[in-house]
Amino acid sequence: MKRLRGRTAITMILAAALAVGILYFCIQLFAKGNDWVGFFGTTYYESGAIYDSKGVKLYDGQTGEYAENRSTRVATLHLVGDRNFGTSLRSALASRLTGYNPVTGTTLGSHDVTLTVDASLNETAYAALNGHKGVVAVYDYTTGDIKCLVSAPSYDPNNPPSDINENSAYDGVYLNRFFSGTYPPGSTFKIVTTAAAIEKKKDLDSFTYTCTGSLQIGDDTITCPYVHGQNMSINQCLATSCNGAYATLALELGGNTLEKYMEQAGLMNSLTINDIHTAKGSFEAAEDGSAYLGWSGVGQYKDLVNPCTMLSFMGGIANRGVAVVPKLVDKETLSGSSVPAAFPDGTDTYKIYSEETCARLKEMMRNNVTSQYGQSQFGDLAVCAKSGTAEVGGGNQPHAWFTGFIDDPNHPLAFVVLVENGGSGASVAGSVAAKVLAQATAGT
């Protein structure tokens, strides 16, 4: 009898262990089944196709073939990806492309995914970078739909360069700079400093600054590229991008205030774009009263931002203080058909500054274009923008930034252009933005 009871106890323990194991397996299946299906080594991986917004096939998961046109393949590679890319849609949308769900697995067949991106706009943006490394992106700041997303350098996945790992022209080629890069913002950060001044400096409307070309802070000097002028208003200081004026404002506002407003802008956050997580920006509050703090206020020192969060920040200003998180997927259908296979992706938003502050920033950024950058390159588009020339040291040319939005309900587009080691933000990155925006708004 004792032996029987012992065997019964052992059987019950084994049964309990089996039940626990089955429960654990089921939990893992529901939680991580899509990761298994999406793993590159599985036979089910990415069986659906990826299309652009106009129906151009960018990638066929059944055949492994990319777009027919070489320029399209190159300009969309960082979106589509190959086995070398972690932040790509072949990886991020793997479970959606296979049609996987925890209940039926992949038995119901694969799904096709149509993107919000226009491949022809990507081609224009990539060509406009003219061989430079960098980023170009455009999105609808009311819906979050990304219309253009380019990271350079790139290559033809059908014919990868043999010297890709040795040739410096391909440095960082596997990095999607839009999602994963961080850069000193240069004078684009002056938008953050301006927002802080609008809300914290009560006498801002009477603020004036006379630029002599430099500002002495202790034993250090904040320099401007040239003498900007006398008795400049805050609007003129932003339009001319006067470092001395903004260093003065930074010293008055303090490092903690600037950090707070950078965080409020969303520039220190990581956004999630269709399961791809963006890099976080950073700000180090230098000692109050120091030249380092002055440089922080003009977008140098240790300031770093990510191009995607900068784009969303611009959209938030345009959208009266509500930033819409960018997204890439327009629809998901059963492969080879127009039958919907999933509900449309939702729209995520977050608050940045007050509506009043954003209205003031919008007015000032519009003035930048009309008084400084030149309206003619943008035709009739009501472009509001800020340029940036970010020093990177090491004897290298500065990074060129140009970012902003179109203030027009018929063309609700925000944009960001970064040209690595490109030089002047307004002339180099601004000309890229002008070409892309002209095509993005043509015929609409």
Side-chain angles (χ1 to χ4, degrees):
M1 182 64 88
K2 289 183 179 179
R3 182 179 297 178
L4 180 60
R5 283 198 297 267
R7 289 177 178 175
T8 301
I10 292 172
T11 302
M12 292 179 67
I13 292 171
L14 291 174
L18 178 62
V20 170
I22 292 174
L23 177 61
Y24 177 77
F25 173 79
C26 291
I27 292 172
Q28 293 296 305
L29 177 64
F30 273 78
K32 299 182 179 180
N34 61 333
D35 294 336
W36 176 81
V37 172
F39 180 65
F40 274 107
T42 70
T43 57
Y44 299 110
Y45 186 75
E46 58 176 14
S47 53
I50 300 173
Y51 295 87
D52 88 332
S53 62
K54 294 183 177 178
V56 175
K57 186 181 288 187
L58 304 180
Y59 183 76
D60 189 326
Q62 294 287 345
T63 64
E65 295 177 352
Y66 288 84
E68 292 183 4
N69 182 278
R70 181 186 182 279
S71 296
T72 303
R73 294 195 298 269
V74 172
T76 61
L77 177 61
H78 285 86
L79 269 177
V80 177
D82 63 13
R83 291 175 181 267
N84 296 300
F85 292 83
T87 52
S88 69
L89 296 181
R90 282 181 59 189
S91 175
L93 300 181
S95 64
R96 300 177 71 165
L97 290 167
T98 59
Y100 172 82
N101 71 68
V103 177
T104 63
T106 59
T107 58
L108 297 182
S110 61
H111 294 177
D112 293 338
V113 171
T114 298
L115 306 182
T116 59
V117 172
D118 178 352
S120 66
L121 199 56
N122 266 34
E123 292 174 40
T124 296
Y126 192 83
L129 285 171
N130 196 28
H132 281 93
K133 298 179 176 72
V135 170
V136 183
V138 178
Y139 96 131
D140 184 320
Y141 55 76
T142 63
T143 66
D145 291 352
I146 296 177
K147 304 296 185 181
C148 170
L149 195 170
V150 163
S151 177
S154 184
Y155 60 88
D156 183 355
N158 284 358
N159 186 26
S162 59
D163 62 346
I164 195 168
N165 294 318
E166 294 81 28
N167 190 335
S168 62
Y170 294 105
D171 286 350
V173 69
Y174 300 129
L175 177 75
N176 188 321
R177 286 159 159 80
F178 177 71
F179 292 128
S180 304
T182 56
Y183 300 87
S187 291
T188 62
F189 187 83
K190 287 170 182 169
I191 298 297
V192 175
T193 307
T194 302
I198 289 170
E199 296 188 358
K200 296 297 183 181
K201 186 173 172 58
K202 302 305 181 185
D203 61 346
L204 185 63
D205 288 338
S206 60
F207 171 81
T208 60
Y209 184 81
T210 295
C211 177
T212 62
S214 64
L215 172 68
Q216 194 71 26
I217 303 175
D219 295 330
D220 299 302
T221 305
I222 304 290
T223 57
C224 286
Y226 52 87
V227 176
H228 288 118
Q230 297 183 343
N231 298 319
M232 294 187 296
S233 67
I234 185 61
N235 285 31
Q236 292 171 312
C237 289
L238 183 65
T240 59
S241 206
C242 178
N243 290 342
Y246 274 86
T248 299
L249 288 172
L251 292 175
E252 181 177 340
L253 293 165
N256 290 334
T257 297
L258 290 181
E259 183 175 13
K260 171 188 172 184
Y261 275 80
M262 181 176 179
E263 186 172 6
Q264 196 173 334
L267 296 174
M268 297 172 70
N269 298 336
S270 175
L271 299 177
T272 301
I273 318 297
N274 296 110
D275 291 330
I276 297 173
H277 303 286
T278 68
K280 293 182 179 181
S282 61
F283 180 91
E284 184 175 313
E287 181 182 354
D288 284 348
S290 67
Y292 293 131
L293 177 57
W295 280 118
S296 288
V298 304
Q300 294 290 160
Y301 186 46
K302 297 183 179 181
D303 303 358
L304 291 173
V305 299
N306 167 260
C308 181
T309 54
M310 176 63 81
L311 177 68
S312 190
F313 174 43
M314 291 297 109
I317 297 172
N319 208 32
R320 298 181 293 183
V322 179
V324 179
V325 177
K327 59 183 178 181
L328 284 163
V329 174
D330 177 42
K331 60 184 177 180
E332 184 178 341
T333 57
L334 297 180
S335 287
S337 77
S338 59
V339 178
F343 290 109
D345 289 3
T347 300
D348 295 326
T349 63
Y350 59 95
K351 193 80 171 69
I352 55 167
Y353 306 139
S354 71
E355 184 174 344
E356 294 75 20
T357 296
C358 289
R360 180 76 182 273
L361 291 173
K362 184 185 296 187
E363 173 193 331
M364 295 173 72
M365 293 172 69
R366 180 71 183 128
N367 177 65
N368 291 349
V369 175
T370 57
S371 70
Q372 197 70 25
Y373 308 143
Q375 177 62 41
S376 60
Q377 64 180 321
F378 301 109
D380 296 330
L381 299 177
V383 173
C384 307
K386 183 69 190 81
S387 66
T389 305
E391 301 294 337
V392 294
N396 297 310
Q397 284 287 309
H399 294 334
W401 285 89
F402 198 76
T403 189
F405 51 88
I406 302 173
D407 184 23
D408 182 349
N410 295 317
H411 304 297
L413 301 176
F415 59 88
V416 62
V417 177
L418 168 71
V419 184
E420 291 185 18
N421 308 120
S424 169
S427 60
V428 177
S431 64
V432 174
K435 292 175 184 177
V436 175
L437 291 176
Q439 180 175 331
T441 58
T444 60

